[in-house]
């Protein structure tokens, strides 16, 4: 049995479904049903979050292997088992998912007035899929959850989104679906070659280099779209702009991490040779992503689109870090994933606060907001600073580590990434200046109310985390340490073996 | 002679005759009573199938094994659902005549004979019993031009296909000297010695069967017949007969012609490729939802044939699992189509579903489940069907088939999503009428299966495994 003494991960995965089923049984007057749905969803997600804290306390940071492991027969004829567990790489992403879900539900409390019941069900199902994906230790199980995310997200964008929601939701779905089916083929090929889909078992299975290339490309098709890497990112700005606030938060906070997580979990350990071969290619795409999308972000007139492009840039730093194959790079990438999850999620929430009041995403519609919404201005400022990687806030340690790691590999790559950071500071500060400062000339902005208690409650945990991650990054980095070191050692050993074999 | 081997068929035949006898009594309308009796007969037959002994009987004409048990149960399930779906619809459309359940009982009997056939003769008898019943029910709404056209079209093309099948059978008989599956298998046990005549005969047999499963290039009748026939008839067409014909395909190719796999594999690969592509692309522009489902079913046959093309045990098993899941998804989706009725009139355009999520959330959710499942999105059942057949294809090295297959599933996702979009994203155009209890039941039951299949897939897979072992020996 695992360290928790009960099937913790299964509970975390499927408890939201129980909440969703309960909400679906609600009948009666619309107002009452909506209120019940909100409270049920909130309590379910809070209980899940509470349970997931056990991971934080009971996780053995010195152990590089999988913990809290559960294994059950599932498709016995095929040798596929329901195998779940967490290691240093995945554990914090489960916590990120379980933290962001209740915040999203709270953030949608008043802004979603239509079809509340379905909305809450979609979010709970989404939580199941996210948590399940991060703890899956079997390829088929992983794929089921990885793809399962599409259904609730498609509906969230399409039903509760803005004017071009149909286009955005189709683009989101078809883009990711196309990438994923190619990954499915690679999984089937691995399955055929190795005779198993168990991920820890596959780690010990050497794949011939010629085959690694094809499998890598198939994985790349799926993960690069999901990250998204330049030039596969075009679905993201559309999806972000059209999605409701909470949808954007989950999309930026967790869904983008799935791609990077896929690279870390599968591409690196399973395909060491191909990963090494493709690393220069990934560097180029990452640096282009960082610089190009930052420039694109500078020209945006829409707040959400700007933050969406900044996400592509930040995720470029993540992919860069992953493919440096050293401990700093991987830890930095993981840290950046976490901090981006929190900071960009918070930035979308900040945009949502304005949107709820003015119903516009145009930057030009605002100006001088700081005068009438001082508390909001402070919060927005904090996350803007975190996003531009101000030391002492969450964005800094990850980017620093990745740039140091990239320097070891190639100074020019590090230079590109650092240049992107400067551009990042430019567009974020530009955004902040145009929204928060300047003269308050627009009549309808005069009467805006500052943040309500509920909104403050949503931001409080994110603020604490942002400062905590900036001041004491070690309390998060320590989770990765053992697993990342083991991963790097295994990667080098595999490359060394291949080199020996080639001599 | 061990007549108990065919006990389920005998009982069903007698029940059909009895229902017919009751129906013709000149009293008041017996449609409802006959339908209920037919469902009862299906249930009874299903129980008998479960307890049926195994073996070959009637001079080697009929075989009862795990394969025929598996497929017969699926057929009975599909047929019972077909009758349940027709109850309310036929009453509304003034089609509530007792001949309807009687014809479906005989069609089902034909399918059961088909899948337990062990001889080209019994195969043909079963197939014709099925086809003749289907020609009539396709034109059941005889005062409607489109329905009459559907029946006639189906009859003419179906007769042609039967001709091809017969011609192929006669060639096989002529060159191998027997019509019995076991003896054909013996005669062909050395593929190098198989004469060209047998191969030509085999191709004709395959053409006839491909017509029945509506695989490209023998699919032409499908969209017209699906569109023209009354909706419950279409529901029936898309479910049980398709499963029966695919199962028959698997038995004929896997059993007597198993050693000629090298010959038929290429044909199946091409058929499967074309079916997947046509199913994916042709459905995109369809406005009539029954026509759309017709193309969708052509695509699904393509996926199922991927399993057959693998010519392996895993492939056949994937095929059976695929068809079982397909049957349930399709029955559920057609339950929604049958329930599409506004102010008493049946409607069948995609746009008629607009905004159903606001007026009838339950139905919209189930339909969305079926659509996502048909697109192959996990964790719904349809994904597992695709997973198993594609796994078999990869294991057999059929890369082209697998790659085209997954890509066409992305294309087809587009039109499945369009239906979800119409239901959930668009504004309602007026509420649909309340659904009947039977349609709700069918919808809910198959919906629950589709959603929950992933929790415990093992029993179905294990049953399919046993069934496949029976024909491949």
């Amino acid at each position: 049995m695992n360290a928790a003494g009960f099937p913790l991960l299964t509970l975390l995965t499927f408890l939201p479904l129980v909440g969703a089923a309960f909400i679906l049984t609600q009948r009666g007057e619309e107002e009452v049903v909506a209120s019940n749905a909100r409270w049920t969803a909130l309590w379910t997600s809070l209980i899940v979050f509470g349970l997931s804290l056990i991971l934080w306390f009971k996780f053995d940071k010195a152990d590089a292997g999988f913990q809290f492991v559960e294994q059950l027969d599932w498709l016995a004829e095929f040798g596929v088992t329901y195998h779940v567990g967490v290691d240093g790489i995945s554990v914090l992403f489960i916590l990120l998912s379980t933290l962001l879900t209740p915040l999203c539900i709270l953030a949608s409390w008043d802004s979603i007035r239509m079809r509340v019941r379905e909305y809450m069900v979609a979010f709970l199902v989404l939580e199941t899929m996210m948590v399940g994906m991060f703890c899956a230790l079997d390829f088929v199980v992983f794929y089921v959850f990885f793809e399962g995310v599409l259904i609730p997200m498609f509906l969230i964008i399409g039903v509760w989104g803005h004017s071009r929601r149909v286009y955005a939701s189709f683009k989101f779905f078809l883009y990711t679906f196309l990438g994923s089916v190619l990954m499915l083929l690679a999984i089937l090929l691995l399955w055929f070659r190795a005779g198993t889909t168990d991920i820890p078992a596959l780690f010990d299975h050497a794949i011939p280099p010629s085959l690694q290339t094809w499998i890598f490309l198939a994985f790349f098709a799926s993960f690069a779209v999901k990250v998204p890497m330049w030039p596969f990112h075009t679905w993201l700005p559309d999806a972000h702009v059209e999605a409701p606030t909470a949808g954007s938060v989950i999309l930026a906070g967790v869904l983008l991490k799935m791609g990077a997580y896929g690279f870390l979990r599968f591409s690196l350990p399973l395909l060491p040779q191909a990963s090494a071969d493709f690393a220069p290619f990934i560097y180029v795409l990452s640096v282009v992503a960082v610089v190009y999308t930052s420039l694109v972000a500078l020209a945006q007139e829409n707040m959400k689109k700007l933050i969406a492009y900044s996400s592509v840039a930040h995720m470029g730093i993540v992919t860069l870090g992953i493919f440096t194959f050293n401990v700093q790079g991987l830890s930095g990438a993981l840290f950046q994933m976490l901090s981006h999850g929190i900071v960009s999620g918070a930035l979308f929430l900040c945009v949502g606060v304005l949107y709820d009041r003015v119903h516009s995403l145009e930057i030009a519609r605002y100006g001088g907001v700081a005068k009438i919404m001082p508390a909001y201005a402070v919060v927005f400022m904090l996350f803007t600073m975190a996003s531009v990687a101000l030391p002492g806030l969450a964005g800094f340690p990850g980017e620093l580590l990745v740039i140091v790691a990239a320097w070891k590999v190639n100074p020019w790559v590090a230079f590109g990434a650092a240049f992107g950071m400067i551009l990042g500071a430019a567009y974020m500060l530009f955004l902040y200046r145009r929204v928060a400062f300047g003269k308050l000339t627009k009549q309808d902005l005069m009467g805006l109310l500052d943040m309500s208690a509920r909104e403050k409650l949503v931001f409080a945990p994110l603020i604490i985390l942002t400062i905590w991650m900036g001041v004491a990054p070690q309390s998060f980095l320590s989770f990765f340490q053992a697993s990342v070191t083991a991963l790097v050692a295994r990667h080098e050993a595999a490359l060394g073996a291949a080199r020996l074999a080639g001599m | 002679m061990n007549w108990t081997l065919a006990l389920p068929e005998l009982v069903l035949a007698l029940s059909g005759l009895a229902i017919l006898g009751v129906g013709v009594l000149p009293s008041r309308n017996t449609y409802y009573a006959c339908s209920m009796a037919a469902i009862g007969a299906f249930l009874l037959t299903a129980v008998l199938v479960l307890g049926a002994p195994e073996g070959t009987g009637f001079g080697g004409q009929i075989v009862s094994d795990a394969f025929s048990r598996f497929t017969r149960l699926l057929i009975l399930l599909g047929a019972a659902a077909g009758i349940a779906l027709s109850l309310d619809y036929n009453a509304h459309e003034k089609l509530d005549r007792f001949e309807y359940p009687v014809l479906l009982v005989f069609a089902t009997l034909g399918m059961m004979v088909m899948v337990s056939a062990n001889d080209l003769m019994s195969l043909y008898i079963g197939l014709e019993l099925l086809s003749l019943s289907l020609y009539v029910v396709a034109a059941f709404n005889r005062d409607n031009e489109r329905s009459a056209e559907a029946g006639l079209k189906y009859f003419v093309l179906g007769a042609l296909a039967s001709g091809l099948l017969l011609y192929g059978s006669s060639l096989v008989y002529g060159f191998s000297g027997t019509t019995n599956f076991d003896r054909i298998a013996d005669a062909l046990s050395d593929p190098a010695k198989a004469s060209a005549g047998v191969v030509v005969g085999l191709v004709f047999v395959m053409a006839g069967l491909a017509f029945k499963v509506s695989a490209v290039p023998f699919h032409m009748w499908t969209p017209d017949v699906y569109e023209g026939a009354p909706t419950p008839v279409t529901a029936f067409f898309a479910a049980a007969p398709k499963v029966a014909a695919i199962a028959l395909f698997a038995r004929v190719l896997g059993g007597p012609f198993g050693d000629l796999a090298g010959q038929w594999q290429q044909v199946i690969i091409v058929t499967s490729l074309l079916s997947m592509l046509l199913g994916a692309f042709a459905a995109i522009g369809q406005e009539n939802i029954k026509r759309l489902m017709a193309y969708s079913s052509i695509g699904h046959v393509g996926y199922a044939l991927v399993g057959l093309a693998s010519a392996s045990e895993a492939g056949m098993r994937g095929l059976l699992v695929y068809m079982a899941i397909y049957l349930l998804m399709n029955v559920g989706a057609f339950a929604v189509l049958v329930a599409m009725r506004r102010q008493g009139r049946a409607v069948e355009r995609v746009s008629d579903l607009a905004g159903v999520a606001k007026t009838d959330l339950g139905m919209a959710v189930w339909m969305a489940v079926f659509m996502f499942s048909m697109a192959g999105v996990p964790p719904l059942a349809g994904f597992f069907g695709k997973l198993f057949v594609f796994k078999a294809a990869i294991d057999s090295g059929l890369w082209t088939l697998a790659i085209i297959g997954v890509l066409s599933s992305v294309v087809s996702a587009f039109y499945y999503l369009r239906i979800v979009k119409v239901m959930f994203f668009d504004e309602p155009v007026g509420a649909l009428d309340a659904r009947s209890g039977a349609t709700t039941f069918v919808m809910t039951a198959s919906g629950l299966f589709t959603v929950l299949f992933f929790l415990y897939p093992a029993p179905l897979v294990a049953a399919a495994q046993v069934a496949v072992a029976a024909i491949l020996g």
Side-chain angles (χ1 to χ4, degrees), chain A residues 14 17 24 74-78 114-115 117-118 129 140 143-145 147-151 154-155 157-159 165-166 169-170 173-174 177-178 181-182 184-186 188-189 191-192, chain B residues 317 357-358 361 372 375-380 383-384 387-388 390-391 394-395 399 402-403 406-407 409-410 413-414 417-418 420-421 423-426 454-458 461-462 465:
Chain A
F14 290 103
L17 283 190
L24 280 176
W74 189 42
L75 283 170
E77 277 78 9
F78 293 88
M114 171 187 87
R115 306 204 217 171
R117 188 162 66 133
E118 293 93 308
M129 298 298 166
V140 178
Y143 188 82
V144 165
F145 286 119
E147 284 275 276
V149 167
L150 294 181
I151 301 178
F154 174 76
L155 293 174
I157 298 176
V159 177
R165 58 207 161 104
V166 174
S169 56
F170 270 70
F173 191 101
L174 293 177
F177 195 49
L178 178 62
V181 294
L182 294 176
L184 179 65
L185 288 181
L188 290 175
L189 180 62
W191 190 353
F192 172 58
Chain B
R317 178 179 60 188
K358 285 207 180 114
L361 180 64
F372 279 120
V377 184
L380 302 172
F383 162 72
F384 291 93
L387 177 75
F388 297 146
F390 286 133
K391 167 145 177 48
I394 297 269
D395 290 357
W399 275 97
I403 291 174
V406 297
L407 292 183
S409 83
V410 175
F414 175 77
L417 285 184
R418 190 163 67 102
V420 177
K421 173 232 154 200
M423 290 190 303
F424 279 84
F425 305 174
D426 291 358
F454 81 101
L455 287 179
Y456 195 42
V461 180
Q465 175 68 49

Side-chain angles (χ1 to χ4, degrees), chain A residues 158-422:
Chain A
V159 177
W160 294 277
H162 307 310
S163 53
R164 289 173 70 234
R165 58 207 161 104
V166 174
Y167 171 76
S169 56
F170 270 70
K171 194 167 176 182
F172 162 76
F173 191 101
L174 293 177
Y175 241 83
T176 25
F177 195 49
L178 178 62
S180 306
V181 294
L182 294 176
M183 174 171 78
L184 179 65
L185 288 181
I187 292 176
L188 290 175
L189 180 62
L190 272 177
W191 190 353
F192 172 58
R193 302 274 314 185
T196 176
T197 52
D198 196 61
I199 292 166
L202 279 170
F203 285 163
D204 302 327
H205 184 84
I207 301 159
S210 55
L211 207 58
Q212 283 194 20
T213 310
W214 289 106
I215 298 180
F216 185 89
L217 285 174
F219 280 170
F220 182 79
S222 175
F223 299 145
V225 167
K226 205 89 173 181
V227 166
M229 292 175 76
W230 181 86
F232 309 107
H233 67 280
T234 58
W235 63 269
L236 183 71
D238 288 318
H240 268 316
V241 171
E242 300 307 324
T245 303
S248 294
V249 173
I250 290 289
L251 199 54
V254 185
L255 262 53
L256 302 193
K257 309 300 170 297
M258 291 182 168
Y261 173 76
F263 278 127
L264 270 171
R265 173 65 83 226
F266 306 116
S267 300
L268 245 55
L270 293 178
L271 314 164
Q273 187 65 46
S275 301
D277 293 345
F278 278 98
F281 172 64
I282 304 273
Y283 295 155
V284 171
L285 291 189
S286 304
V287 171
V288 170
V290 172
V291 176
Y292 168 78
T293 53
S294 298
L295 289 172
V296 173
L298 265 175
Q300 294 308 314
E301 292 300 328
N302 180 311
M303 292 192 281
K304 272 184 147 182
K305 218 164 193 164
L306 190 147
I307 301 173
Y309 279 108
S310 86
S311 289
V312 181
H314 283 133
M315 293 311 286
I317 300 276
V318 171
T319 46
L320 182 59
I322 291 173
F323 282 84
T324 56
F325 311 119
N326 56 42
V327 177
Q328 279 112 326
L330 291 180
S331 309
L334 279 164
F335 196 88
Q336 172 83 352
M337 281 156 75
L338 277 184
S339 75
H340 177 261
I342 288 168
V343 172
S344 73
L347 282 171
F348 279 117
L349 286 171
C350 287
V351 173
V353 168
L354 284 182
Y355 183 81
D356 286 346
R357 287 164 173 70
V358 185
H359 295 285
S360 170
L361 295 169
E362 293 300 313
I363 298 174
R365 276 288 282 117
Y366 299 93
V369 171
K371 293 206 178 63
I372 40 162
M373 301 174 70
Y376 171 75
V378 171
V379 172
F380 192 13
M381 167 71 94
L382 179 89
F383 291 116
T384 306
M385 291 304 155
S387 177
V388 304
L390 191 77
L393 292 176
F396 179 68
E399 296 207 3
L400 179 74
L401 281 169
V402 170
I403 289 177
V404 169
W407 186 272
K408 285 189 191 168
V409 177
N410 183 335
W412 285 105
V413 171
F415 174 76
F419 183 60
M421 282 178 73
I422 299 170

Side-chain angles (χ1 to χ4, degrees), chain B residues 16 19-20 23 29-32 34-36 38-39 42 78-91 94-108 133-134 136-141 147 229-237 338:
Chain B
I19 296 170
L20 182 60
N29 193 338
T30 49
Y31 169 70
Y32 192 77
C34 288
S35 298
M36 283 300 144
I39 293 182
F42 291 148
I83 290 192
L85 289 183
S86 67
L87 289 173
D88 185 53
Y89 184 96
N90 286 5
K94 309 270 182 296
L95 298 175
D96 47 348
R97 295 192 288 269
F98 74 92
E99 292 92 335
Y100 188 82
V102 172
L103 283 166
L104 289 202
V105 167
F106 285 121
T108 309
S133 314
L134 291 190
V136 182
V137 286
F140 203 69
N141 192 0
S147 178
T231 312
V233 175
T234 315
F236 181 74
F237 273 26
V338 168

